[in-house]
Protein backbone atom coordinates (compact mmCIF):
# COMPACT_ATOMS: atom_id res chain seq x y z
CA UNK A 1 0.00 0.00 0.00
CA UNK A 2 0.99 3.61 -0.65
CA UNK A 3 2.10 6.70 1.25
CA UNK A 4 3.15 10.33 0.81
CA UNK A 5 6.61 11.49 1.91
CA UNK A 6 7.26 14.95 3.34
CA UNK A 7 11.03 15.47 3.31
CA UNK A 8 12.27 18.51 5.21
CA UNK A 9 15.48 20.09 3.94
CA UNK A 10 14.87 23.76 4.70
CA UNK A 11 17.40 24.14 7.51
CA UNK A 12 20.68 25.98 7.32
CA UNK A 13 23.02 23.28 8.58
CA UNK A 14 24.70 25.64 11.02
CA UNK A 15 26.34 22.90 13.09
CA UNK A 16 28.01 21.60 9.94
CA UNK A 17 29.80 24.95 9.58
CA UNK A 18 30.11 24.48 5.80
CA UNK A 19 28.98 27.94 4.76
CA UNK A 20 26.04 26.42 2.89
CA UNK A 21 23.13 24.09 3.55
CA UNK A 22 24.56 20.64 4.39
CA UNK A 23 21.97 19.08 2.04
CA UNK A 24 24.27 19.97 -0.87
CA UNK A 25 27.48 18.50 0.59
CA UNK A 26 28.84 15.50 -1.28
CA UNK A 27 28.72 12.01 0.19
CA UNK A 28 30.61 9.83 -2.26
CA UNK A 29 29.37 10.71 -5.75
CA UNK A 30 26.12 12.47 -4.83
CA UNK A 31 24.95 15.38 -2.67
CA UNK A 32 23.44 14.38 0.70
CA UNK A 33 19.85 15.21 -0.30
CA UNK A 34 20.19 13.15 -3.50
CA UNK A 35 20.92 10.02 -1.44
CA UNK A 36 17.75 10.68 0.53
CA UNK A 37 15.62 11.41 -2.53
CA UNK A 38 16.83 8.26 -4.30
CA UNK A 39 15.39 6.07 -1.54
CA UNK A 40 11.91 7.58 -1.89
CA UNK A 41 11.84 8.09 -5.66
CA UNK A 42 12.82 4.43 -6.16
CA UNK A 43 10.24 3.14 -3.70
CA UNK A 44 7.21 2.31 -5.86
CA UNK A 45 4.89 2.56 -2.84
CA UNK A 46 5.80 6.24 -2.37
CA UNK A 47 3.16 8.15 -4.35
CA UNK A 48 4.24 11.75 -3.89
CA UNK A 49 7.26 13.50 -2.37
CA UNK A 50 6.84 16.97 -0.87
CA UNK A 51 10.37 18.35 -0.67
CA UNK A 52 10.57 21.32 1.68
CA UNK A 53 13.39 23.76 0.98
CA UNK A 54 14.32 27.28 1.94
CA UNK A 55 14.01 30.08 -0.58
CA UNK A 56 17.75 30.57 -0.92
CA UNK A 57 18.22 26.95 -2.01
CA UNK A 58 15.20 26.65 -4.27
CA UNK A 59 17.00 27.10 -7.59
CA UNK A 60 19.73 24.61 -6.64
CA UNK A 61 17.17 22.05 -5.48
CA UNK A 62 15.20 22.47 -8.70
CA UNK A 63 18.37 21.92 -10.68
CA UNK A 64 19.16 18.70 -8.78
CA UNK A 65 15.67 17.36 -9.45
CA UNK A 66 16.13 18.02 -13.16
CA UNK A 67 19.68 16.66 -13.33
CA UNK A 68 18.70 13.40 -11.67
CA UNK A 69 15.28 13.36 -13.38
CA UNK A 70 13.56 12.61 -10.10
CA UNK A 71 9.84 11.89 -10.52
CA UNK A 72 6.88 12.72 -8.23
CA UNK A 73 8.56 15.60 -6.32
CA UNK A 74 6.84 18.88 -5.43
CA UNK A 75 9.07 21.65 -4.12
CA UNK A 76 7.65 23.76 -1.26
CA UNK A 77 9.09 26.61 0.85
CA UNK A 78 9.82 25.86 4.52
CA UNK A 79 9.68 27.99 7.65
CA UNK A 80 11.70 29.29 10.57
CA UNK A 81 11.79 26.07 12.61
CA UNK A 82 11.74 22.45 11.50
CA UNK A 83 8.17 22.18 12.78
CA UNK A 84 7.10 25.11 10.59
CA UNK A 85 8.72 23.43 7.58
CA UNK A 86 6.86 20.19 8.26
CA UNK A 87 3.59 22.10 8.54
CA UNK A 88 4.17 23.83 5.20
CA UNK A 89 4.87 20.42 3.70
CA UNK A 90 1.73 18.88 5.18
CA UNK A 91 -0.44 21.65 3.71
CA UNK A 92 0.87 20.79 0.24
CA UNK A 93 -0.01 17.07 0.33
CA UNK A 94 -2.33 16.08 -2.55
CA UNK A 95 -3.93 12.84 -1.35
CA UNK A 96 -5.07 13.17 2.24
CA UNK A 97 -6.34 9.60 2.37
CA UNK A 98 -2.79 8.22 2.27
CA UNK A 99 -0.63 7.98 5.38
CA UNK A 100 2.17 10.54 5.45
CA UNK A 101 5.79 9.80 6.31
CA UNK A 102 7.76 12.79 7.61
CA UNK A 103 11.49 12.45 7.04
CA UNK A 104 14.63 14.52 7.61
CA UNK A 105 16.46 15.30 4.39
CA UNK A 106 19.59 14.91 6.53
CA UNK A 107 19.01 11.14 7.01
CA UNK A 108 20.27 9.70 3.72
CA UNK A 109 20.68 6.07 4.82
CA UNK A 110 17.14 5.07 5.70
CA UNK A 111 16.47 1.57 4.37
CA UNK A 112 13.54 0.71 2.16
CA UNK A 113 12.87 -2.30 4.42
CA UNK A 114 12.51 0.02 7.44
CA UNK A 115 10.06 2.16 5.50
CA UNK A 116 8.12 -0.98 4.60
CA UNK A 117 7.88 -2.07 8.25
CA UNK A 118 6.86 1.42 9.31
CA UNK A 119 4.06 1.65 6.75
CA UNK A 120 2.75 -1.78 7.78
CA UNK A 121 2.69 -0.67 11.42
CA UNK A 122 0.86 2.56 10.58
CA UNK A 123 -1.79 0.64 8.72
CA UNK A 124 -2.31 -1.65 11.67
CA UNK A 125 -1.96 0.73 14.62
CA UNK A 126 -1.92 4.35 13.41
CA UNK A 127 1.03 6.63 14.23
CA UNK A 128 4.51 5.06 14.38
CA UNK A 129 8.16 6.07 14.22
CA UNK A 130 11.52 4.46 13.56
CA UNK A 131 13.79 4.29 16.59
CA UNK A 132 16.75 2.29 17.91
CA UNK A 133 17.52 1.17 21.46
CA UNK A 134 19.85 3.60 23.22
CA UNK A 135 23.32 2.08 23.69
CA UNK A 136 24.76 4.70 26.08
CA UNK A 137 23.72 4.96 29.71
CA UNK A 138 21.65 8.13 29.80
CA UNK A 139 21.84 10.40 32.84
CA UNK A 140 19.36 13.08 33.79
CA UNK A 141 20.76 16.19 35.48
CA UNK A 142 17.96 18.25 36.92
CA UNK A 143 17.70 20.67 39.86
CA UNK A 144 21.23 19.79 40.96
CA UNK A 145 20.51 16.08 41.17
CA UNK A 146 21.84 13.30 38.95
CA UNK A 147 19.68 10.32 38.08
CA UNK A 148 20.18 7.30 35.90
CA UNK A 149 17.39 6.47 33.47
CA UNK A 150 16.57 2.82 32.85
CA UNK A 151 18.22 2.06 29.55
CA UNK A 152 15.80 -0.77 28.80
CA UNK A 153 13.04 1.84 28.41
CA UNK A 154 14.99 4.26 26.20
CA UNK A 155 14.88 4.60 22.43
CA UNK A 156 16.58 7.10 20.14
CA UNK A 157 13.93 8.52 17.79
CA UNK A 158 14.65 8.71 14.08
CA UNK A 159 12.69 9.55 10.97
CA UNK A 160 10.62 8.67 9.04
CA UNK A 161 7.74 9.11 11.44
CA UNK A 162 4.41 8.15 9.94
CA UNK A 163 0.84 9.17 10.65
CA UNK A 164 -2.66 9.11 9.26
CA UNK A 165 -2.71 12.46 7.44
CA UNK A 166 -5.53 14.15 9.33
CA UNK A 167 -4.12 13.11 12.71
CA UNK A 168 -0.75 14.79 12.23
CA UNK A 169 -2.18 17.82 10.43
CA UNK A 170 -4.51 18.38 13.38
CA UNK A 171 -1.70 17.85 15.92
CA UNK A 172 0.39 20.48 14.10
CA UNK A 173 -2.51 22.93 14.04
CA UNK A 174 -3.20 22.52 17.75
CA UNK A 175 0.50 22.91 18.55
CA UNK A 176 0.72 26.10 16.47
CA UNK A 177 -2.32 27.53 18.21
CA UNK A 178 -0.60 27.02 21.57
CA UNK A 179 2.88 28.05 20.45
CA UNK A 180 4.10 24.57 21.36
CA UNK A 181 7.30 23.53 19.60
CA UNK A 182 8.92 20.10 19.75
CA UNK A 183 11.95 18.54 18.08
CA UNK A 184 9.98 15.84 16.31
CA UNK A 185 6.48 15.21 15.02
CA UNK A 186 5.70 12.26 17.24
CA UNK A 187 6.06 14.60 20.25
CA UNK A 188 3.13 16.66 18.93
CA UNK A 189 0.96 13.58 18.57
CA UNK A 190 2.02 12.37 22.04
CA UNK A 191 1.22 15.72 23.62
CA UNK A 192 -2.36 15.42 22.41
CA UNK A 193 -2.54 11.88 23.76
CA UNK A 194 -2.43 10.01 20.48
CA UNK A 195 -0.68 6.67 20.84
CA UNK A 196 2.52 6.33 18.82
CA UNK A 197 4.16 2.95 18.21
CA UNK A 198 7.85 2.19 17.80
CA UNK A 199 9.27 0.30 14.85
CA UNK A 200 12.85 -0.80 15.36
CA UNK A 201 15.03 0.87 12.75
CA UNK A 202 18.73 0.61 11.93
CA UNK A 203 21.76 2.24 13.58
CA UNK A 204 22.88 3.20 10.06
CA UNK A 205 20.02 5.70 9.77
CA UNK A 206 22.04 8.57 11.25
CA UNK A 207 21.22 12.25 10.94
CA UNK A 208 24.09 14.13 9.33
CA UNK A 209 24.60 17.03 11.73
CA UNK A 210 28.33 17.71 12.30
CA UNK A 211 31.50 17.44 10.17
CA UNK A 212 32.22 14.16 12.02
CA UNK A 213 28.89 12.75 10.80
CA UNK A 214 29.81 13.67 7.24
CA UNK A 215 33.08 11.76 7.65
CA UNK A 216 31.20 8.71 8.93
CA UNK A 217 28.73 8.98 6.06
CA UNK A 218 31.51 9.15 3.51
CA UNK A 219 33.23 6.02 4.79
CA UNK A 220 29.85 4.26 5.02
CA UNK A 221 29.20 4.96 1.34
CA UNK A 222 32.72 4.06 0.28
CA UNK A 223 32.57 0.68 2.03
CA UNK A 224 29.22 0.06 0.32
N1 LIG B 1 14.81 21.68 8.74
C1 LIG B 1 13.84 22.33 7.97
N2 LIG B 1 13.45 23.60 8.30
C2 LIG B 1 14.03 24.25 9.33
C3 LIG B 1 15.01 23.60 10.12
C4 LIG B 1 15.39 22.31 9.80
O1 LIG B 1 13.32 21.76 7.01
N3 LIG B 1 13.63 25.50 9.60
C5 LIG B 1 15.25 20.33 8.33
C6 LIG B 1 16.75 20.24 8.04
O2 LIG B 1 17.00 20.68 6.70
C7 LIG B 1 17.07 18.78 8.29
C8 LIG B 1 16.03 18.38 9.33
O3 LIG B 1 15.06 19.42 9.40
O4 LIG B 1 16.93 17.97 7.15
C9 LIG B 1 16.67 18.12 10.69
O5 LIG B 1 17.20 19.33 11.20
P1 LIG B 1 18.74 19.59 11.57
O6 LIG B 1 19.50 18.33 11.52
O7 LIG B 1 18.76 20.42 12.79
O8 LIG B 1 19.25 20.45 10.30
P2 LIG B 1 19.59 22.00 10.24
O9 LIG B 1 18.57 22.76 10.99
O10 LIG B 1 19.78 22.32 8.80
O11 LIG B 1 21.01 22.04 10.99
P3 LIG B 1 21.44 23.02 12.20
O12 LIG B 1 20.42 22.81 13.29
O13 LIG B 1 22.83 22.55 12.56
O14 LIG B 1 21.43 24.43 11.65
MG1 LIG C 1 18.32 22.46 13.12
Amino acid sequence: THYTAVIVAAGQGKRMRAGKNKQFLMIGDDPLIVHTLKVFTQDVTCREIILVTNEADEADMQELIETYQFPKIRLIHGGEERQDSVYEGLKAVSDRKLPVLIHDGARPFVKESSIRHLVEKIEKDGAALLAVPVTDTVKQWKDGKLQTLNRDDLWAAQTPQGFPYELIKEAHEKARARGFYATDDAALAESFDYDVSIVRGSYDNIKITTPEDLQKATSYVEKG
Side-chain angles (χ1 to χ4, degrees), residues 143-197:
D143 303 328
K145 188 165 169 58
L146 190 66
Q147 283 190 310
T148 306
L149 302 178
N150 183 2
R151 199 170 64 192
D152 294 340
D153 300 336
L154 295 175
W155 293 77
Q158 303 178 338
T159 70
Q161 303 189 343
F163 310 87
Y165 177 83
E166 296 296 345
L167 185 159
I168 195 62
K169 173 97 178 321
E170 190 190 338
H172 268 265
E173 275 162 0
K174 284 190 198 163
R176 289 174 78 78
R178 292 172 202 190
F180 174 65
Y181 276 83
T183 51
D184 74 350
D185 302 285
L188 304 184
E190 294 156 24
S191 77
F192 297 112
D193 233 25
Y194 298 121
D195 286 333
V196 183
S197 312

Side-chain angles (χ1 to χ4, degrees), residues 41-75:
T41 52
Q42 288 169 10
D43 180 358
V44 293
T45 65
C46 177
R47 270 276 174 75
E48 178 182 46
I49 298 167
I50 310 292
L51 176 58
V52 187
T53 186
N54 60 53
E55 267 184 85
D57 293 333
E58 186 179 4
D60 292 334
M61 278 298 180
Q62 191 61 53
E63 197 181 312
L64 278 184
I65 294 167
E66 280 158 27
T67 304
Y68 287 86
Q69 296 191 299
F70 285 136
K72 64 193 177 188
I73 298 183
R74 288 178 62 195
L75 211 51

Side-chain angles (χ1 to χ4, degrees), residues 2-224:
H2 295 81
Y3 67 88
T4 305
V6 170
I7 300 180
V8 285
Q12 298 189 327
K14 288 198 183 127
R15 284 169 288 178
M16 189 59 79
R17 306 186 300 273
K20 60 174 171 181
N21 191 348
K22 62 189 178 184
Q23 308 288 337
F24 296 103
L25 298 178
M26 297 300 284
I27 300 176
D29 295 333
D30 293 319
L32 194 176
I33 189 65
V34 166
H35 288 272
T36 310
L37 291 173
K38 278 185 176 175
V39 177
F40 290 91
T41 52
Q42 288 169 10
D43 180 358
V44 293
T45 65
C46 177
R47 270 276 174 75
E48 178 182 46
I49 298 167
I50 310 292
L51 176 58
V52 187
T53 186
N54 60 53
E55 267 184 85
D57 293 333
E58 186 179 4
D60 292 334
M61 278 298 180
Q62 191 61 53
E63 197 181 312
L64 278 184
I65 294 167
E66 280 158 27
T67 304
Y68 287 86
Q69 296 191 299
F70 285 136
K72 64 193 177 188
I73 298 183
R74 288 178 62 195
L75 211 51
I76 295 292
H77 285 166
E80 195 73 31
E81 303 291 336
R82 181 189 182 281
Q83 189 172 316
D84 302 316
S85 294
V86 172
Y87 184 62
E88 292 305 315
L90 287 174
K91 285 193 292 184
V93 167
S94 306
D95 187 345
R96 300 177 170 201
K97 297 270 183 291
L98 293 178
V100 59
L101 265 53
I102 300 167
H103 185 62
D104 292 328
R107 289 187 193 269
F109 303 135
V110 60
K111 293 184 195 329
E112 199 175 312
S113 58
S114 296
I115 296 174
R116 186 86 29 264
H117 292 141
L118 183 67
V119 172
E120 281 164 15
K121 188 72 178 170
I122 296 163
E123 267 156 10
K124 217 166 109 253
D125 293 333
L129 56 75
L130 290 184
V132 286
V134 165
T135 55
D136 289 322
T137 295
V138 179
K139 302 283 185 179
Q140 184 176 54
W141 173 252
K142 202 170 157 189
D143 303 328
K145 188 165 169 58
L146 190 66
Q147 283 190 310
T148 306
L149 302 178
N150 183 2
R151 199 170 64 192
D152 294 340
D153 300 336
L154 295 175
W155 293 77
Q158 303 178 338
T159 70
Q161 303 189 343
F163 310 87
Y165 177 83
E166 296 296 345
L167 185 159
I168 195 62
K169 173 97 178 321
E170 190 190 338
H172 268 265
E173 275 162 0
K174 284 190 198 163
R176 289 174 78 78
R178 292 172 202 190
F180 174 65
Y181 276 83
T183 51
D184 74 350
D185 302 285
L188 304 184
E190 294 156 24
S191 77
F192 297 112
D193 233 25
Y194 298 121
D195 286 333
V196 183
S197 312
I198 286 180
V199 172
R200 194 188 173 112
S202 155
Y203 288 100
D204 295 334
N205 184 21
I206 59 169
K207 182 162 71 69
I208 312 295
T209 308
T210 64
E212 291 74 23
D213 295 329
L214 193 66
Q215 277 287 300
K216 269 187 244 166
T218 303
S219 51
Y220 178 79
V221 163
E222 278 165 3
K223 283 178 200 135

